[in-house]
Amino acid sequence: MSNERKLKGKIKYLIIVPIILALVLMVVVCATMGTDRKETLIASGVILAYILIVSVIYWKMRPVFSATFVDYALDQGRIQKELLKDLAVPYAILDTSGRILWCNKMFKEDICHNEKRAKKRMDYYFPELTSEVFDKVDDSSMELYYDDKTYNALIKKIDMTKVLTDNPEEKKNDEKVISFYLLDVTDLRFYMQENADQKLIAGLLYIDNYDEVMDSTEEVKHSILNALVDRKINMYLANIDAITKRLENDKYFFVFRQKYLQTLKDDKFSLIDEIKNINVGNEIPVTLSMGIGAGTDSFSDCYEYSKVAIGLALGRGGDQVAFKYGDKVTYYGGKSAGTEKTTRVKARVKAQAFEELLANKDKVIIMAHQRPDADAFGSAVGIYRLVTTLGKKGYIVLNEVTSAIKPVVSSFRAADSYDNLLLTSQQAINMVDDDTMLVICDVNRPSITECEELISLCKTVVVFDHHRQSNEAITNATLSYIEPFASSACEMITEMFQYISVKPRIKAVEADAMYAGILIDTDNFLNKTGVRTFEAASYLRKCGADIVRVRKMFRSGINELKERAQGISNAEIFMDVFALSYVEADESLGEAPTVPVAKVANELLNVDGIKASFVVTESKGTLYVSARSIGDVNVQIVMERFNGGGHANIAGVQLKDVHKEEFFDELKTVLKEMYTEGDI
């Protein structure tokens, strides 16, 4: 009825407009020609006759016009309905809950399989299309899968009150409906995947410890070992149809198609473990690292990605795979702690490079990570001694003196020669100019340094660290010396003392600080301790480090002993190999008991059967986690799941606005998953 009224209104409008124009014309004729002339009377008569004829025709033909237009509209509606019914695209009309109100022939054939009545809800065919989905949708598209086909679903909500009429009486029973199209994109997705599968991916494979392995093997067996390693690598890469080229004795380049990438992931790059089983009398097992680059249409970019990836894998200690897909980096393996490098060539090269950079600078600002520990402060002191020996001014950024370094800092403040040594972040920022070098020690993640702003302000940035690298890195470093095999940053700096042109005269208080850094990071020479660690400690002893003095500095107070006892009493054993515990922080003390937490984590490793320990404490909205391990469990890759890091045996993380109950629930899930799958 409403459509008919609209149609009649439009026809009436088409008749009335000419009549009004005719009347206007008659007025114009009378006005221009005068009312008493014969021509005016004739023209007016003709116009009146026209008006009379049009009016009669309208009244006589009105029913015919209406019927003709209505029939035409109905015919058009039938045509559109038939076209929708035979449309070669599955189409349906749904109510707002997802129930099918009407569907075309194609929908019945492809989706309903010619059922007599397709009155089921849409989630019967597509479980993901629940009523909640349709409630939220107005106009969107999504990808759906049905009967081995992929569809692009176009969903649009239509308000029928706006489509049908503006009459309030007819709005009462009108509802919203959903228009639902399904476009079959199976072939399109297939060919897109085929195209992606044919893309080339670049990879680099380095044998981590080639020289060390050869040195530990009889010379007559070198060729046999080389042949076995080469054969194992080539056979593994042949399984993915890769082209392999040996660049050097310990370096390989390979190219393979992207279709085999998932095969390698599912296999978890088993070559890493297989290569370790080669034994022809070599005392040290062979380990290798791989860097793979993908995620770009340019093969040259893939190769550049692979070079970045292999650098990350080696920077994390080797024996693992780094896969760089665009900006995202994923790691596989890395379960072992790595093999210590006995050669000091790298230390000598870095020391000389550092000295050359320093030659053109006037002053050096040194900073470590937030809430610095003994190793962070000790290594900063070591760098200070290096730069002052070479005739430059040195300053250390220190915003907070924690209980972990309070005894050491106090000894420096008691000495007269270190009055201007320590700066706050703001003081350091104000001091920066073109002749300033920034040295970052014991950390390689910009977000947790004492003052991240300094990194962008200084043109020359140098990094010295012994932690494994993560995805977050200091990208503008002029010189970077990251040695994951080192026990501590203090060990690295101590080695560099021996290779600069001017031999430094280390004061006793400085030697104590560096010796304390090594002592704390190795847990009294029990963790990550190698030959070079003892050599560095011996050098510091010669320079005046006093073991008794250092031990007195780090004696525990009664409150710390109570906190450690509390942490041990709160411990629980998970999966028979993990110890989980917590220490309640005393807010009146003003800082988190991170030192007792770390010591509790170390002590829990003395429990029979425990392979790793995780101890936490909460303070001022931050959860501090210390992770320790002994044996094969790599706690670093566990902490990386929480955006933390560290070493294979010592790691940690700080989490904002996370409670210990939430953390332990997630940690248990991660440990169960990784331990079951052999990732740790």
Side-chain angles (χ1 to χ4, degrees):
M1 290 296 294
S2 105
N3 286 338
E4 186 177 351
R5 282 197 299 273
K6 285 184 179 180
L7 183 60
K8 287 180 179 179
K10 290 177 181 178
I11 294 172
K12 189 183 293 184
Y13 178 74
L14 291 173
I15 299 298
I16 290 174
V17 169
I19 291 174
I20 293 172
L21 291 175
L23 291 172
V24 172
L25 179 61
M26 189 169 67
V27 171
V28 172
V29 169
C30 292
T32 54
M33 299 177 65
T35 56
D36 56 346
R37 295 181 62 179
K38 181 179 179 181
E39 291 84 353
T40 302
L41 296 173
I42 295 171
S44 299
V46 172
I47 292 172
L48 289 173
Y50 169 77
I51 293 172
L52 181 63
I53 292 168
V54 168
S55 299
V56 170
I57 290 173
Y58 171 71
W59 290 109
K60 292 287 186 183
M61 301 298 293
R62 185 177 59 177
V64 177
F65 289 152
S66 297
T68 302
F69 282 117
V70 169
D71 288 343
Y72 178 76
L74 291 173
D75 288 342
Q76 289 297 314
R78 292 190 195 100
I79 292 169
Q80 291 176 13
K81 185 176 180 180
E82 289 300 317
L83 288 174
L84 279 177
K85 188 183 291 185
D86 294 329
L87 185 68
V89 173
Y91 173 71
I93 298 174
L94 320 174
D95 64 15
T96 52
S97 67
R99 186 176 297 279
I100 300 173
L101 302 176
W102 178 89
C103 61
N104 69 353
K105 182 179 178 182
M106 196 74 174
F107 192 95
K108 287 181 179 179
E109 290 178 357
D110 289 2
I111 308 302
C112 304
H113 300 304
N114 290 318
E115 296 176 9
K116 290 184 179 180
R117 298 188 66 189
K119 298 296 182 183
K120 297 184 176 67
R121 294 173 60 84
M122 191 57 71
D123 56 9
Y124 176 83
Y125 306 105
F126 304 100
E128 58 268 45
L129 293 179
T130 60
S131 56
E132 289 78 10
V133 173
F134 291 114
D135 285 340
K136 298 175 183 177
V137 162
D138 282 326
D139 189 356
S140 65
S141 64
M142 62 180 67
E143 202 160 88
L144 302 172
Y145 303 93
Y146 187 74
D147 278 355
D148 298 326
K149 288 187 176 182
T150 304
Y151 293 98
N152 185 23
L154 304 177
I155 305 171
K156 185 175 179 63
K157 192 174 286 185
I158 301 171
D159 189 348
M160 299 305 294
T161 61
K162 295 179 180 178
V163 175
L164 295 176
T165 181
D166 292 328
N167 189 340
E169 294 298 321
E170 296 190 15
K171 286 185 180 180
K172 293 179 180 177
N173 297 320
D174 288 337
E175 297 178 353
K176 290 183 179 180
V177 296
I178 294 173
S179 171
F180 187 81
Y181 288 91
L182 288 173
L183 305 178
D184 189 346
V185 293
T186 308
D187 291 340
L188 175 63
R189 293 290 181 270
F190 173 78
Y191 289 117
M192 286 175 66
Q193 186 61 47
E194 278 287 303
N195 183 54
D197 287 343
Q198 298 305 315
K199 288 182 180 178
L200 293 179
I201 290 180
L204 291 168
L205 187 153
Y206 289 3
I207 299 173
D208 300 325
N209 53 353
Y210 181 84
D211 293 332
E212 288 81 359
V213 171
M214 290 302 175
D215 289 343
S216 70
T217 309
E218 295 178 31
E219 190 171 347
V220 293
K221 295 182 178 179
H222 283 187
S223 58
I224 299 173
L225 181 60
N226 256 321
L228 287 173
V229 170
D230 191 65
R231 182 172 179 272
K232 186 77 80 172
I233 291 171
N234 280 293
M235 286 181 63
Y236 184 83
L237 296 176
N239 291 330
I240 59 170
D241 198 25
I243 299 172
T244 311
K245 173 68 176 176
R246 189 169 188 171
L247 306 176
E248 299 177 28
N249 287 335
D250 59 345
K251 293 180 176 64
Y252 292 79
F253 170 71
F254 59 97
V255 180
F256 64 100
R257 285 176 287 177
Q258 189 166 297
K259 64 184 290 187
Y260 294 106
L261 185 58
Q262 192 58 46
T263 303
L264 293 177
K265 290 181 179 179
D266 293 341
D267 182 53
K268 293 189 177 180
F269 298 90
S270 61
L271 177 63
I272 295 175
D273 294 322
E274 290 176 10
I275 211 79
K276 295 176 189 173
N277 297 327
I278 297 176
N279 192 337
V280 293
N282 48 299
E283 298 175 6
I284 302 174
V286 181
T287 66
L288 58 83
S289 297
M290 294 169 66
I292 298 174
T296 174
D297 293 331
S298 168
F299 180 71
S300 62
D301 287 343
C302 284
Y303 176 61
E304 292 301 320
Y305 283 177
S306 70
K307 290 198 290 186
V308 173
I310 193 67
L312 289 171
L314 295 173
R316 290 163 56 86
D319 190 30
Q320 60 193 283
V321 177
F323 170 51
K324 181 172 172 58
Y325 190 89
D327 294 332
K328 183 180 178 183
V329 181
T330 309
Y331 299 100
Y332 298 87
K335 292 185 286 184
S336 66
T339 306
E340 180 192 18
K341 302 286 185 181
T342 56
T343 176
R344 291 187 182 180
V345 173
K346 191 173 182 181
R348 175 177 57 80
V349 171
K350 298 296 183 181
Q352 292 172 353
F354 178 67
E355 188 172 352
E356 290 174 6
L357 284 175
L358 195 59
N360 299 320
K361 302 296 177 182
D362 289 337
K363 56 180 174 289
V364 177
I365 295 175
I366 308 156
M367 72 173 177
H369 51 77
Q370 299 165 8
R371 294 184 60 82
D373 54 15
D375 186 38
F377 186 75
S379 56
V381 168
I383 296 166
Y384 166 79
R385 176 46 55 198
L386 272 177
V387 301
T388 52
T389 298
L390 295 170
K392 310 297 179 179
K393 295 179 181 178
Y395 305 91
I396 298 175
V397 180
L398 185 64
N399 295 314
E400 180 184 5
V401 180
T402 62
S403 59
I405 61 171
K406 190 174 182 179
V408 184
V409 174
S410 298
S411 65
F412 277 84
R413 285 178 172 168
D416 296 333
S417 55
Y418 300 103
D419 291 341
N420 300 317
L421 174 62
L422 304 179
L423 303 175
T424 63
S425 293
Q426 191 57 52
Q427 289 174 326
I429 290 170
N430 295 337
M431 188 180 286
V432 172
D433 56 29
D434 291 341
D435 294 321
T436 303
M437 175 191 286
L438 175 67
V439 179
I440 301 169
C441 56
D442 201 38
V443 62
N444 59 59
R445 294 174 58 187
S447 63
I448 60 173
T449 55
E450 281 279 25
C451 181
E452 187 175 355
E453 188 178 349
L454 284 171
I455 301 174
S456 57
L457 290 176
C458 295
K459 294 181 179 179
T460 305
V461 179
V462 178
V463 180
F464 297 119
D465 189 28
H466 67 119
H467 296 100
R468 290 187 175 192
Q469 288 179 283
S470 64
N471 295 345
E472 183 188 3
I474 298 168
T475 55
N476 63 330
T478 309
L479 174 64
S480 182
Y481 181 20
I482 298 175
E483 185 59 271
F485 306 108
S487 68
S488 58
C490 288
E491 176 189 318
M492 296 169 59
I493 305 304
T494 302
E495 288 182 343
M496 290 175 60
F497 281 155
Q498 303 167 57
Y499 297 108
I500 60 173
S501 58
V502 182
K503 298 304 176 187
R505 298 181 62 181
I506 304 174
K507 296 181 180 180
V509 66
E510 296 167 350
D512 284 349
M514 298 183 71
Y515 187 87
I518 297 175
L519 195 69
I520 297 300
D521 260 29
T522 59
D523 189 22
N524 293 314
F525 298 100
L526 293 177
N527 291 325
K528 279 185 69 67
T529 307
V531 174
R532 290 167 66 175
T533 309
F534 288 108
E535 289 176 349
S538 175
Y539 179 86
L540 292 172
R541 285 282 289 122
K542 292 177 183 177
C543 293
D546 190 308
I547 299 174
V548 176
R549 197 163 52 228
V550 171
R551 182 181 176 185
K552 285 181 179 180
M553 273 194 255
F554 290 95
R555 285 186 296 181
S556 302
I558 189 64
N559 288 332
E560 182 182 319
L561 286 174
K562 289 179 179 179
E563 287 168 338
R564 287 162 60 182
Q566 177 200 145
I568 293 171
S569 66
N570 291 335
E572 67 165 301
I573 306 302
F574 179 65
M575 294 178 64
D576 297 328
V577 292
F578 301 113
L580 314 180
S581 186
Y582 64 92
V583 174
E584 294 288 355
D586 186 352
E587 297 294 344
S588 64
L589 297 177
E591 66 172 323
T594 52
V595 173
V597 163
K599 290 181 178 180
V600 170
N602 284 328
E603 289 178 23
L604 288 175
L605 293 179
N606 295 324
V607 178
D608 187 30
I610 295 300
K611 294 184 177 181
S613 62
F614 301 86
V615 185
V616 306
T617 188
E618 292 181 78
S619 178
K620 299 178 181 178
T622 302
L623 186 76
Y624 299 90
V625 184
S626 283
R628 301 290 186 269
S629 71
I630 188 170
D632 298 329
V633 174
N634 186 337
V635 290
Q636 182 218 2
I637 59 178
V638 177
M639 289 296 96
E640 282 183 339
R641 291 287 189 99
F642 300 91
N643 201 31
H647 304 288
N649 302 118
I650 303 174
V653 66
Q654 296 179 17
L655 302 171
K656 294 285 187 182
D657 301 320
V658 177
H659 297 296
K660 64 177 183 292
E661 292 81 9
E662 301 172 43
F663 171 74
F664 279 133
D665 287 342
E666 189 174 353
L667 177 65
K668 288 177 180 179
T669 303
V670 169
L671 289 175
K672 191 172 183 179
E673 174 192 330
M674 298 182 74
Y675 195 70
T676 303
E677 295 180 1
D679 292 335
I680 55 174

